[in-house]
Amino acid sequence: MLTRFFLILAMVFGATQAVAQQSSGPLRVTIDQGVIEPMPIAVPNFVARDAASAELASQITSVILADLGNTGLFRQIPATAFITPAVGVDAQPVFADWQIINAQALIAGNVSTGSDGRVTVDMRLWDVFGSSEIGQGVSLSTTSQNWRQVAHRVADVIYSRLTGEAPYFDSEVVFVSESGPKSSRVKRIAVMDQDGANVRYITGGQDLVFAPRFAPDGRSVLYTSYASGSPQVYLHDLATDQRRTLGVSQGMTFAPRFSPDGRRVIYSQTDGANTDIYTLDLSTQTRTRLTRSPAIDTAPSYSPDGQRIVFESDQGGSQQLYVMSASGGPAQRISFGTGLYGTPVWSPRGDKIAFTKQVSGRFHVGVMNVDGTGEQLLTASFLDEGPTWSPNGRVLMFFRETPGPLGAASLVSVDVTGRNLRYVQTPGGASDPNWSRLRSN
Amino acid sequence: MKTMKLVAAAALALSLAACTTADDDAAGSGMLGGMGAGGGAPSNAVDQSSLAYFTTAVGDRVFFDTASSSLSTAAQSTLNLQADWLKRFPDRNLTLQGHADERGTREYNLALGARRAQAAYDYLVAQGISPSRMSTVSYGKERPVELCSDERCWAQNRRTVTVIAGAVGS
């Protein structure tokens, strides 16, 4: 059964490629149109080993179910259909009870709370029709306050084993929380878990801010703020809540990102009418100018190996995507379709570039190969902008703004295949998402 | 909007005509406004050095085509009037705020706003306004003044606003 599911996934991901290569123009994938039948899974409520863990056990089960369900790849069989209501990890399940309700995978779990207050989650994953266990059982422990993270990690194990993909649930998103009227929007930098939980605010809202970007280790954030009256890039340490500028005295700085090794910041600096791309070495404070055209060169993003940079420029007369060496030098244009291209982001897998495309009065989030071939538009609306990749390169998050005086921004996620478009729950409006790497221990 | 600008330009033309015969002293201390010239009632006096006068009679903003930072003839006329006013009131400093409409990505629009602010800056320098009196800032698409999502509003939002020190920016 598991083999069959792998095959289906391969077909979906492979088929999209094939179609893209056949068509001469950009392909418009219709969103929300299910291409595959989600895999039916049974996730009976995790069993509490002690009274103290009862509530936590159902909360943890809910988080796991939500993570898996949000991928669009799995369908939860309702608990009312279960013949056996509870399954722990201590015994092999009665497979016939799960075969009869057509569950293909069964997830069994226990939750316990130790005398030190630490929470332990045990999980085993079963192939129901193969009557066999998928991988080894896992046992993860954490403090009771941190229970959501352990739930995400368990869901990551399940996701990876059932799809063959790298995990991504145990990750965070830094974004801009928006409130107030469109003419004087109040914007605050905020961090949340990728599923929208645990929102915490990094800035207070007195200064206009935008486009936050995580450091590779997730411990600090770069963003642009008007705190000094003019846009400047700030590096904000999340643990100490201290921030500093990049030390540029003239002109505005914006569009920052870290290099993949975290040692450099790449950003745009505007001098008069001219915007170019620079890097700052954080240890030596050495500043290097990478572009010299009189055009707007901005929104730089490193390849995951740190060797190349994709950015946008209007040096050819309109906003298009270019790739250059990480040390600067000649840039090669990679976008050639009709319309304007901006906000390129290199996939963590290295094989794709996500971007915003503006054409015929609509905005799209799309992906293309790093040489510009295979362009696919994944979304369409009045304003879709600013994609960011999930840590495993399988999902994109971006923001969508509705038109008019009451227009508001929301975070939206979509599979790299264009399937499974979902709004991410945030308190109030939200824009400029940036996905962290998978959290480390 | 167009009508208002015409009235403002006419009023200013009147006041400039008056200016050529006025004492130099009068320039700094404020004079009877062009608005009041026809009516003649002292209560209609307009302080031409005032921010209100600059905003409404001179015109505090110029507009741009989509994705462009070129100054149209109309924009140049407004900047000429601004330059004249700035020469009459040489103690006034200003900030040029460049803006974009909502039809563009955030970073690009920020850079585009800087181009628009710089276009006005360069023009005013060419008219003899000292760079030491001026600074520029871009707001990209962050601060629209008109909120509908069609060309009527977008045309009003693609702008450079000359904010005189002490005035509330927009």
Side-chain angles (χ1 to χ4, degrees):
Chain A
M1 274 315 123
L2 185 63
T3 324
R4 203 184 77 189
F5 189 63
F6 270 129
L7 198 66
I8 293 169
L9 276 180
M11 279 169 59
V12 172
F13 296 144
T16 325
Q17 296 277 15
V19 173
Q21 280 159 14
Q22 280 166 20
S23 67
S24 51
L27 176 70
R28 277 167 203 256
V29 179
T30 309
I31 52 177
D32 285 336
Q33 185 181 337
V35 184
I36 62 161
E37 183 66 22
M39 177 196 247
I41 56 171
V43 189
N45 216 30
F46 279 24
V47 179
R49 289 194 192 275
D50 46 73
S53 308
E55 193 186 346
L56 210 49
S58 21
Q59 289 173 321
I60 286 170
T61 312
S62 300
V63 168
I64 293 169
L65 273 171
D67 278 348
L68 295 174
N70 284 342
T71 65
L73 299 173
F74 307 100
R75 180 172 62 79
Q76 175 202 359
I77 296 172
T80 50
F82 296 169
I83 293 159
T84 319
V87 183
V89 297
D90 301 332
Q92 181 162 303
V94 179
F95 291 112
D97 287 355
W98 303 99
Q99 288 165 356
I100 203 166
I101 60 169
N102 196 34
Q104 301 211 17
L106 169 66
I107 294 146
N110 283 93
V111 178
S112 55
T113 306
S115 54
D116 56 358
R118 283 182 72 83
V119 173
T120 300
V121 181
D122 301 308
M123 187 279 293
R124 292 177 82 178
L125 177 60
W126 301 94
D127 176 349
V128 170
F129 286 89
S131 300
S132 60
E133 187 164 10
I134 303 168
Q136 300 250 309
V138 296
S139 181
L140 298 171
S141 291
T142 185
T143 59
S144 59
Q145 304 95 300
N146 221 14
W147 65 269
R148 291 191 74 95
Q149 186 174 11
V150 89
H152 289 309
R153 286 189 181 176
V154 170
D156 270 333
V157 171
I158 298 164
Y159 171 85
S160 291
R161 287 182 184 175
L162 292 180
T163 65
E165 299 287 334
Y168 73 94
F169 300 132
D170 182 19
S171 56
E172 294 178 302
V173 173
V174 62
F175 66 103
V176 171
S177 176
E178 299 193 2
S179 58
K182 192 174 174 179
S183 56
S184 54
R185 204 76 97 191
V186 174
K187 297 192 170 193
R188 304 173 71 185
I189 306 292
V191 174
M192 65 183 184
D193 296 351
Q194 55 77 27
D195 63 350
N198 290 330
V199 175
R200 61 187 202 276
Y201 296 92
I202 309 305
T203 62
Q206 65 276 28
D207 303 312
L208 184 58
V209 290
F210 47 82
R213 312 290 182 210
F214 269 121
D217 66 6
R219 288 178 185 158
S220 56
V221 169
L222 289 163
Y223 56 82
T224 304
S225 169
Y226 280 76
S228 71
S230 165
Q232 293 294 335
V233 172
Y234 288 81
L235 176 56
H236 195 122
D237 186 297
L238 295 178
T240 64
D241 204 28
Q242 298 297 305
R243 72 178 189 185
R244 63 180 177 89
T245 68
L246 296 188
V248 176
S249 54
Q250 205 170 1
M252 66 176 178
T253 57
F254 62 106
R257 277 185 202 276
F258 282 94
S259 60
D261 62 9
R263 290 180 183 170
R264 272 163 293 157
V265 173
I266 190 165
Y267 62 96
S268 272
Q269 185 175 334
T270 298
D271 184 14
N274 181 23
T275 298
D276 280 307
I277 294 171
Y278 295 73
T279 58
L280 174 69
D281 186 303
L282 289 172
S283 54
T284 66
Q285 296 297 304
T286 308
R287 216 172 289 280
T288 308
R289 182 174 174 179
L290 297 186
T291 65
R292 295 185 176 277
S293 81
I296 292 174
D297 299 327
T298 189
S301 168
Y302 279 99
S303 61
D305 64 5
Q307 297 299 303
R308 286 182 288 171
I309 293 161
V310 63
F311 64 101
E312 60 172 75
S313 173
D314 64 1
Q315 59 187 264
S318 71
Q319 194 185 0
Q320 300 289 339
L321 306 185
Y322 292 78
V323 170
M324 66 179 171
S325 159
S327 53
Q332 188 186 356
R333 180 170 162 181
I334 61 164
S335 61
F336 289 98
T338 51
L340 305 176
Y341 294 78
T343 77
V345 205
W346 216 299
S347 152
R349 297 179 174 213
D351 59 340
K352 299 271 182 195
I353 286 164
F355 53 84
T356 305
K357 181 170 183 174
Q358 185 181 353
V359 62
S360 306
R362 304 272 283 173
F363 281 69
H364 310 265
V365 165
V367 292
M368 60 171 63
N369 298 325
V370 297
D371 63 359
T373 61
E375 175 177 325
Q376 290 174 259
L377 299 184
L378 307 179
T379 75
S381 90
F382 168 74
L383 179 61
D384 284 354
E385 184 180 337
T388 179
W389 292 92
S390 65
N392 68 351
R394 196 38 81 192
V395 182
L396 289 162
M397 195 181 291
F398 58 96
F399 73 95
R400 170 169 288 180
E401 204 160 314
T402 51
L406 299 177
S410 307
L411 302 189
V412 183
S413 70
V414 67
D415 274 20
V416 70
T417 58
R419 296 175 55 251
N420 197 37
L421 187 99
R422 280 169 194 273
Y423 284 81
V424 180
Q425 209 152 41
T426 52
S431 61
D432 296 4
N434 178 248
W435 215 316
S436 75
R437 290 187 180 180
L438 205 65
R439 274 191 277 199
S440 52
N441 298 312
Chain B
M1 195 62 198
K2 272 192 178 136
T3 319
M4 202 183 87
K5 282 183 76 175
L6 279 176
V7 169
L12 194 90
L14 279 172
S15 72
L16 287 177
C19 188
T20 52
T21 57
D23 290 340
D24 283 341
D25 291 19
S29 56
M31 324 185 306
L32 280 180
M35 304 282 202
S43 61
N44 285 345
V46 173
D47 177 2
Q48 295 195 355
S49 73
S50 73
L51 303 178
Y53 181 85
F54 179 81
T55 304
T56 56
V58 177
D60 69 341
R61 61 196 61 199
V62 297
F63 302 100
F64 298 87
D65 287 341
T66 298
S68 169
S69 56
S70 298
L71 295 170
S72 64
T73 315
Q76 291 182 24
S77 302
T78 302
L79 290 171
N80 286 337
L81 298 178
Q82 289 187 4
D84 291 339
W85 188 90
L86 289 164
K87 286 174 192 167
R88 288 173 60 201
F89 306 108
D91 58 330
R92 295 308 186 96
N93 293 336
L94 61 137
T95 301
L96 295 159
Q97 298 183 343
H99 297 266
D101 66 28
E102 64 186 343
R103 306 313 282 160
T105 50
R106 201 178 307 290
E107 293 84 356
Y108 188 83
N109 276 358
L110 193 66
L112 180 59
R115 269 187 186 161
R116 288 173 175 161
Q118 190 66 29
Y121 178 97
D122 290 343
Y123 191 88
L124 289 174
V125 169
Q127 304 313 305
I129 306 304
S130 168
S132 66
R133 297 173 66 186
M134 297 190 282
S135 62
T136 61
V137 64
S138 174
Y139 283 92
K141 62 175 174 176
E142 307 301 315
R143 289 290 180 255
V145 282
E146 297 295 334
L147 305 185
C148 71
S149 288
D150 59 48
E151 179 54 27
R152 272 180 307 139
C153 290
W154 298 334
Q156 295 295 309
N157 291 334
R158 295 188 299 264
R159 68 200 193 275
T160 293
V161 182
T162 302
V163 179
I164 305 299
V168 178
S170 81

